[in-house]
Amino acid sequence: MNLRVRNIGLAGLVALISACSSMTTISSPDSGTTFALKDKTLSLPVSQDMKGTSFGNYEFRATETGSEPFYGILPLRFKGGHLAADIILFAPAAFFNLREAFPFYDIDVKNGVIRYKNKATDGWIEYKPKPEEAARAQNYFNAKTVAK
């Protein structure tokens, strides 16, 4: 019985550790692009540690000289393997780690496009945020500005 409790505890710990974060590289085709992500403002290119999530999103605002700000929600990848492991080993972990940032993003402010990929050798997948996603991100950053 004691061994079973220990194994369950160990499985829970492994699930929590695997939910922590992943390293993401964010770049832009134009120099001088700044990228605001939640509570951080970054100058691109940058490598950033980003936490996994099941229900949250990463609202962003990208700016560069001579262009209107570009708002949206960062596309995230679904981790099906984690869902299976969470169901088998420790179901509550599903609340923390089902989605994570892709390893590579390219933010094109002028064209209003986000490119992302899993591996450095993969081709870019282009995504244009929906108007409601852009509005949500813009409201998020406007509310942060008012709160300061």
Side-chain angles (χ1 to χ4, degrees):
M1 181 67 165
N2 202 12
L3 183 63
R4 181 180 170 156
V5 171
R6 188 174 128 216
N7 287 341
I8 290 171
L10 184 60
L13 181 62
V14 168
L16 286 174
I17 290 172
S18 67
C20 290
S21 61
S22 61
M23 188 58 67
T24 298
T25 300
I26 307 169
S27 60
S28 176
D30 299 306
S31 62
T33 301
T34 58
F35 188 71
L37 187 66
K38 294 281 187 179
D39 59 344
K40 299 175 186 170
T41 300
L42 311 164
S43 294
L44 301 183
V46 67
S47 288
Q48 180 67 35
D49 199 28
M50 297 179 67
K51 292 187 177 198
T53 181
S54 285
F55 302 108
N57 290 303
Y58 285 106
E59 291 87 0
F60 72 84
R61 176 184 60 216
T63 56
E64 61 184 49
T65 306
S67 295
E68 290 292 316
F70 173 40
Y71 293 93
I73 296 174
L74 214 55
L76 300 174
R77 69 179 176 170
F78 178 73
K79 300 186 308 183
H82 281 233
L83 177 60
D86 291 346
I87 290 169
I88 293 168
L89 300 174
F90 188 68
F95 290 105
F96 303 106
N97 67 353
L98 292 182
R99 299 182 314 145
E100 70 179 350
F102 284 93
F104 299 95
Y105 289 97
D106 187 64
I107 309 300
D108 189 341
V109 175
K110 289 180 183 164
N111 294 312
V113 172
I114 304 167
R115 296 177 190 90
Y116 59 93
K117 58 185 174 179
N118 277 316
K119 298 177 188 169
T121 56
D122 290 348
W124 289 109
I125 299 167
E126 286 194 357
Y127 179 74
K128 185 170 181 85
K130 297 174 185 172
E132 52 272 11
E133 292 173 342
R136 177 179 169 168
Q138 188 171 10
N139 289 338
Y140 172 83
F141 284 102
N142 288 344
K144 276 184 59 173
T145 303
V146 170
K148 287 184 180 180

